[in-house]
Each structure stands twice: as C-alpha cells, then as structure tokens.
Amino acid sequence: MTDSIPQNTSIAEPNPQFMREAIALSLQSVRSGQGGPFGAVIVKDGVIIATGNNQVTSTNDPTAHAEVVAIRSACKTLNTFQLKGCEIYTSCEPCPMCLGAIYWARPDRVYYGNTKVEAAEIGFDDQFIYDELELPLSERKLPMIQLLSEEAIVAFQEWAAKLDKIEY
C-alpha cells in the first residue's frame, strides 16, 4: 500500500440518518432472508453513493458481507479502486475480512453501530480469526503450505520492474 489511511483529517459530524440507513439495510437483510443482520452505506460529499447488505447465504458467497458489497458498488460508481473522501456507515463493527477491505479502500472514516462483542453474542464470533493471525503458520488450524515459490516469484519480479504499473 503506497498511501496510508488519513491520520489527522478533520472529523466531520456523523450523520445519524446514514447510520439509520445502514441499520435499515441490516433489517432488510434479515427480513428478506438474504443473509445476516448487517448493512452498510458509503457516503461521499454528504450523499449516499453505495449501499450493501449481507448476502452471504443468498449468493453462496462468503465474501458478500455488507461492507464488501458496498465497497464494490462504490468503487464501480466512482470508477476507482479507492474511497478517499468517503465515509462508511456500517451497522456493526467490521469483521477481520471487512476491516482489511476497508483499509485497502482507504475511506476517511468508519462509523459503526453494534460491536464485535454483540455480534459474537448472536453467533457471529470472529475471535478465532484474530487468534489464528497471531499464530505462526505452522500452528494454525488451516494448513498453510508454500508451494512453487521459485515460479511464483516471477510475477513479483515482473511487477517490480514494470514501469507503467498503477500502484495501490
């Protein structure tokens, strides 16, 4: 990552209406049977540019969390791979996957409703992922085995030498 998350940007006043929209999306997700109780909206210049609700079970896509769905939509709308100048309102504190996606997208800030502890209390407990990340690869529950590193490194070498690459 060449740019970092903004550190000292002035904090705009959060808009409760945007959080209410994220919460409404979380309820819609539950009531429609699309997925878990999570919703997210992305705002730029005071306007909602993208929304997302959890669609994991309805799309058979374990990455279709509300924040990821909203990020994909916002990037398509803005025709960019970064969300600088945007804010994310999400009905729950982001899980590790969504948090990683959010950091890569680089919004200015994130507002959340429910906490990860409250999510864990209803069966959405991500603590095992946080715990696994702290372990050496050899001790993780999911085997991580390096294979064909001599061949895989060629793509990295070509990327490093590429003069017309778009860094992100």
Side-chain angles (χ1 to χ4, degrees), residues 130-148:
Y130 292 111
D131 294 343
E132 284 284 296
L133 292 173
E134 296 297 319
L135 295 174
L137 294 178
S138 62
E139 295 178 26
R140 293 184 184 173
K141 290 180 178 63
L142 180 63
M144 303 285 289
I145 303 153
Q146 189 172 22
L147 183 65
L148 298 178

Side-chain angles (χ1 to χ4, degrees), residues 152-167:
I153 198 67
V154 173
F156 280 16
Q157 292 165 341
E158 288 189 20
W159 175 261
K162 187 173 175 64
L163 299 178
D164 62 343
K165 64 187 164 209
I166 298 172
E167 301 217 17

Side-chain angles (χ1 to χ4, degrees), residues 39-144:
V41 300
I42 299 180
V43 175
K44 184 172 180 72
D45 300 325
V47 176
I48 294 176
I49 60 163
T51 64
N53 64 290
N54 185 283
Q55 300 173 22
V56 170
T57 57
S58 62
T59 62
N60 293 320
D61 180 353
T63 69
H65 290 200
E67 297 91 337
V68 173
V69 170
I71 288 169
R72 289 173 180 161
S73 178
C75 288
K76 185 174 183 180
T77 295
L78 296 174
N79 195 31
T80 183
F81 53 85
Q82 294 183 347
L83 297 176
K84 292 179 181 179
C86 295
E87 300 172 323
I88 298 177
Y89 288 79
T90 180
S91 65
C92 186
E93 185 176 356
C95 75
M97 177 186 70
C98 292
L99 189 58
I102 288 167
Y103 270 94
W104 279 109
R106 296 184 186 91
D108 289 357
R109 65 192 48 83
V110 176
Y111 300 103
Y112 64 94
N114 298 312
T115 68
K116 64 182 180 180
V117 172
E118 292 166 324
E121 289 172 355
I122 63 163
F124 295 94
D125 190 352
D126 299 319
Q127 188 58 48
F128 76 96
I129 297 173
Y130 292 111
D131 294 343
E132 284 284 296
L133 292 173
E134 296 297 319
L135 295 174
L137 294 178
S138 62
E139 295 178 26
R140 293 184 184 173
K141 290 180 178 63
L142 180 63
M144 303 285 289

